[in-house]
């Protein structure tokens, strides 16, 4: 019996700095209702889906920074998402800025949660690979201060039995690092949900714009194929507070093929019937890890952080 999960990628257009959560949540509930009408059982939203991508600004007032964070989840402003999940029988991935008190101190993470069709939070992930910088960089046309506002994730790359399969999560820059997908692949992941906020233009080097979309797709297609998993990548897109953010939300099959892709830079739904067994032959042949991997030669991957060239 095939296990088909109809998945919807719910791309969001720009969210303004002062846009109230209720307005963004309203847009997202509308996409959930459209997803339900198209037979979807699971919806993927972008990274930091409740607010504008605030790491583009250098903000010194921590109270102002904390305005972009959620102190509890769910909370009254996002509750309509959880109510819609239950009402429509939909699970969802939601990216947001998490502010939490743990072990006696306040911590800030770039987080994603997995919510099932009953509206229960069944999984949490905290972004491990934080790109950008921690101090103001005058050379940049816009900042990318994720290393200032977030701590690196402390949960690793877990996978979760949910929606009839084995689901994993990552966030934006994580998709560029093969370790992200491989750690989940070693746990049998069948579908990886990820959101992204990626500027169209490179802020620190001369780079042709077409490369941005190529690198985005290549990263997800490679992750999908090399681990025999579906990958659903969903953008916060469009001209957001003066910075053009890349669209191109897509659904990638375990073969590495892009089977659905957004056409616009706004709120847009892409939907595909994902056969969760489609990656089985890949996991049993070319990427049968147990049969083919030689971990005795991979030591540097976890024993060394940076490059050490030969003498
Ligand atoms: N954004 C970008 C991303 O990884 C980036 C940052 C873009 C880093 C291109 C390197 C190259 O897609 C986030 N939010 O990680």
């Amino acid at each position: 019996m095939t296990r088909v999960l109809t998945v919807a990628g719910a791309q969001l257009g720009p969210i303004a700095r002062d846009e109230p959560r209720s307005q963004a949540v309203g847009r997202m509930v509308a996409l959930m209702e459209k997803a339900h009408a198209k037979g979807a059982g699971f919806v993927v939203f972008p990274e930091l889906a409740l607010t504008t991508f605030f790491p583009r600004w250098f903000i010194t007032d921590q109270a102002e920074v904390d305005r972009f964070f959620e102190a509890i989840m769910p909370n009254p402003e996002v509750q309509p998402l959880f109510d819609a999940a239950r009402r429509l029988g939909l699970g969802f991935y939601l990216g947001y800025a998490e502010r939490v008190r743990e072990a006696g101190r306040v911590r800030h993470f770039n987080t994603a949660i997995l919510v099932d069709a009953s509206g229960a939070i069944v999984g949490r992930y905290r972004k491990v690979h934080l790109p950008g910088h921690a101090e103001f960089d005058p050379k940049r046309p816009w900042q990318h201060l994720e290393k200032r506002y977030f701590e690196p994730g402390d949960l690793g790359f877990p996978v979760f039995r949910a929606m009839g399969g084995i689901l994993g999560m990552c966030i934006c820059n994580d998709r560029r690092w093969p370790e992200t997908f491989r750690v989940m692949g070693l746990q049998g992941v069948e579908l990886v949900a990820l959101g992204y906020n990626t500027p169209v233009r490179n802020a620190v080097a001369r780079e042709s714009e077409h490369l941005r979309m190529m690198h985005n797709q290549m990263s997800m297609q490679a992750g999908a194929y090399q681990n025999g998993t579906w990958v659903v990548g969903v953008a916060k897109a469009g001209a957001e507070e003066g910075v053009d953010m890349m669209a191109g939300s897509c659904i990638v099959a375990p073969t590495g093929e892009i089977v659905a892709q957004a056409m616009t830079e706004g709120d847009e739904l892409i939907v595909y019937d994902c056969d969760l067994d489609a990656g089985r032959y890949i996991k049993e042949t070319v990427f049968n890890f147990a049969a083919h991997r030689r971990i005795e030669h991979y030591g540097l991957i976890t024993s060394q952080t940076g490059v050490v060239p030969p003498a």
Side-chain angles (χ1 to χ4, degrees):
M1 188 263 272
T2 57
R3 294 176 298 137
V4 174
L5 177 61
T6 301
V7 177
Q11 176 177 288
L12 291 176
I15 297 181
R17 179 168 187 159
D18 56 2
E19 185 164 334
R21 300 276 198 288
S22 56
Q23 193 172 317
V25 168
R27 290 165 53 187
M28 296 160 75
V29 170
L31 287 166
M32 291 176 82
E33 286 166 352
K34 191 179 286 187
H36 175 65
K38 288 175 177 284
F42 186 64
V43 179
V44 182
F45 290 115
E47 169 193 30
L48 296 177
L50 299 172
T51 67
T52 196
F53 186 71
F54 62 90
R56 65 168 63 92
W57 296 301
F58 180 69
I59 305 169
T60 53
D61 172 5
Q62 189 59 44
E64 171 63 17
V65 173
D66 285 349
R67 245 179 17 91
F68 296 104
F69 284 76
E70 312 303 322
I72 53 173
M73 181 58 72
N75 59 56
E77 291 181 299
V78 303
Q79 189 58 43
L81 296 173
F82 292 76
D83 296 344
R86 213 172 15 259
R87 171 164 49 85
L88 302 170
L90 275 178
F92 65 88
Y93 161 112
L94 176 71
Y96 70 97
E98 178 190 17
R99 180 174 179 274
V100 65
R101 174 172 289 279
E102 276 177 1
R105 66 190 176 94
V106 176
R107 311 185 69 191
H108 295 78
F109 296 104
N110 188 340
T111 294
I113 51 173
L114 182 59
V115 178
D116 72 10
S118 74
I121 297 176
V122 296
R124 180 183 303 274
Y125 169 74
R126 290 167 171 169
K127 187 175 184 179
V128 167
H129 299 97
L130 298 173
H133 48 112
E135 297 305 328
F136 181 75
D137 180 349
K139 298 189 300 302
R140 288 171 176 258
W142 57 82
Q143 304 298 300
H144 197 113
L145 290 159
E146 292 194 55
K147 291 185 191 300
R148 181 181 186 85
Y149 299 131
F150 304 116
E151 292 180 49
D154 59 351
L155 303 174
F157 300 102
V159 300
F160 308 92
R161 288 195 180 280
M163 315 311 300
I166 300 175
L167 273 54
M169 296 184 276
C170 68
I171 300 175
C172 205
N173 194 257
D174 288 320
R175 73 195 184 287
R176 301 178 191 277
W177 301 91
E179 295 88 343
T180 300
F181 291 105
R182 183 48 46 90
V183 170
M184 289 190 272
L186 286 165
Q187 301 171 77
V189 74
E190 295 169 332
L191 186 145
V192 176
L194 69 94
Y196 59 87
N197 285 246
T198 302
V200 168
R201 278 174 288 283
N202 188 325
V204 294
R206 180 99 187 107
E207 181 180 80
S208 171
E209 287 178 20
H210 79 277
L211 291 174
R212 271 296 157 104
M213 185 56 76
M214 187 188 85
H215 294 157
N216 172 50
Q217 293 177 336
M218 183 169 67
S219 299
M220 293 191 282
Q221 288 177 276
Y225 168 58
Q226 291 169 350
N227 297 279
T229 178
W230 291 90
V231 174
V232 183
V234 178
K236 171 109 75 47
E240 186 176 82
E241 296 291 342
V243 180
D244 290 337
M245 305 300 281
M246 189 172 72
S249 303
C250 62
I251 299 174
V252 185
T255 55
E257 295 164 289
I258 293 176
V259 294
Q261 187 169 343
M263 290 176 60
T264 72
E265 291 187 321
D267 293 10
E268 180 180 347
L269 207 71
I270 54 175
V271 183
Y272 198 80
D273 293 336
C274 300
D275 173 359
L276 296 178
D277 292 307
R280 181 183 300 279
Y281 86 93
I282 290 174
K283 293 173 192 250
E284 290 174 351
T285 57
V286 59
F287 290 113
N288 177 336
F289 291 165
H292 302 310
R293 293 184 72 240
R294 304 300 316 175
I295 60 172
E296 64 271 24
H297 297 297
Y298 303 162
L300 287 185
I301 291 176
T302 57
S303 67
Q304 189 178 304
T305 302
V307 173
V308 178

